[in-house]
Amino acid sequence: MSVRAADFPYLSGPTPLALAHRGGALLPDNVGLENTLGAFRRARALGYRHLETDAHVTADGEVVAFHDDSLDRVTDAEGRIADLPWSEVSQARVGGVEPVPRLADLLEEMPDALLNIDVKADAALEPTVEVLRRHGAVERVCIGSFSERRVRAARRALGPRLATAAGPVGTAALRFTPDVVARVLHTPAPVLQVPAHHRVAGRVVELVTPGFVRRAHAAGKQVHVWFHSWSVEDAPEYHRLLDLGVDGVVADRIDVLADVLAERGRPLTGGAVG
């Protein structure tokens, strides 16, 4: 039986979905404070209900909402998260200001938020599954990963009501190879999350085309688009993707995307967490 996006509560709202990437990493007030509760609060205040985050696990099993495998880049501390106990990670400050949140903290503070979770490490999968079970959050999350094996394991563990994103689909094969497209469209994942562009042999190619979106929709899938750090992410690009019919945009410039959606008659209505 084909797995269709409409069958999942996480994906059942009106499209296009607006997802705040790491809470909206390039919102001016969030720069340097990605994946913090403060960043997610500001996204919610703009009306974002769908929040994108990443998951790593500490040496003693705490799942943190954090992108990198080490603290070095964005905090005032150092060390690989997997090698550190939560007691040390909890003392680190993102941008020297905000603590690293646990996934449980995010689920508890924002019980009506919908989370897109990228499980970044094999060791993080089972603890993430346990956090979601404990909080009864299976139907309000979408699990993705560059590891197809992790995504399959999450489906097995959490059952058919879990929305998942197709595994490593960010390749030029999706754009140019019909048999790969056909295989991906028959994935048990209801959503395809792809980069807007991909570098192949030194040149940038567009992965999201009218044909690809059309085939995805015919299979009952949604198409969500994210951006590489080197991608152009601005209002014209958002308009271009929305004109192609994509179902979701994973944005860093969440203020700009909110303006674009309002201009198109689709203002955000998620509201702030009280």
Side-chain angles (χ1 to χ4, degrees):
M1 180 182 298
S2 177
V3 176
R4 304 177 67 85
D7 298 330
F8 294 84
Y10 178 91
L11 299 166
S12 61
T15 57
L17 304 181
L19 296 88
H21 183 240
R22 306 183 200 173
L26 296 181
L27 178 73
D29 287 344
N30 284 352
V31 172
L33 298 172
E34 64 185 48
N35 268 330
T36 62
L37 287 178
F40 293 120
R41 290 181 191 121
R42 286 183 280 276
R44 294 292 284 122
L46 285 176
Y48 282 78
R49 190 180 182 203
H50 287 78
L51 308 174
E52 190 276 347
T53 188
D54 309 280
H56 281 281
V57 66
T58 65
D60 51 352
E62 287 287 352
V63 182
V64 293
F66 200 79
H67 175 268
D68 298 2
D69 62 2
S70 78
L71 298 171
D72 301 36
R73 180 178 66 90
V74 298
T75 82
D76 56 6
E78 297 180 348
R80 293 182 69 252
I81 290 172
D83 297 334
L84 300 171
W86 170 241
S87 59
E88 291 188 33
V89 174
S90 66
Q91 297 304 307
R93 291 296 178 265
V94 180
V97 178
E98 295 210 33
V100 174
R102 296 175 301 177
L103 179 60
D105 299 330
L106 185 54
L107 290 167
E108 290 167 6
E109 175 161 336
M110 303 182 182
D112 60 343
L114 302 172
L115 304 185
N116 196 98
I117 304 171
D118 185 349
V119 181
K120 287 293 189 182
D122 288 344
L125 179 60
E126 184 175 345
T128 297
V129 164
E130 290 307 312
V131 169
L132 296 177
R133 283 177 176 154
R134 189 164 64 246
H135 288 81
V138 172
E139 292 192 1
R140 66 181 180 106
V141 303
C142 179
I143 296 289
S145 174
F146 280 102
S147 165
E148 181 64 45
R149 181 169 51 80
R150 267 177 237 148
V151 175
R152 289 197 305 267
R155 288 192 204 107
R156 288 195 300 271
L158 293 172
R161 297 298 287 168
L162 174 71
T164 56
V169 296
T171 69
L174 280 174
R175 171 72 164 82
F176 297 114
T177 309
D179 60 332
V180 174
V181 172
R183 175 175 57 81
V184 170
L185 293 183
H186 286 87
T187 175
V191 59
L192 311 178
Q193 294 184 336
V194 299
H197 306 91
H198 193 70
R199 283 181 173 158
V200 180
R203 68 187 184 97
V204 175
V205 297
E206 293 181 4
L207 293 185
V208 184
T209 65
F212 176 66
V213 174
R214 185 168 57 250
R215 288 190 293 270
H217 288 171
K221 313 295 186 184
Q222 288 189 3
V223 176
H224 297 179
V225 179
W226 51 272
F227 299 89
H228 290 289
S229 60
W230 46 263
S231 300
V232 174
E233 186 178 350
D234 57 14
E237 180 67 357
Y238 293 148
H239 277 296
R240 183 186 74 83
L241 292 168
L242 294 169
D243 287 343
L244 288 174
V246 303
D247 305 282
V249 177
V250 186
D252 288 303
R253 285 303 310 266
I254 56 175
D255 50 340
V256 177
L257 179 58
D259 289 343
V260 165
L261 290 171
E263 182 182 335
R264 298 172 72 97
R266 301 300 299 269
L268 295 172
T269 58
V273 173

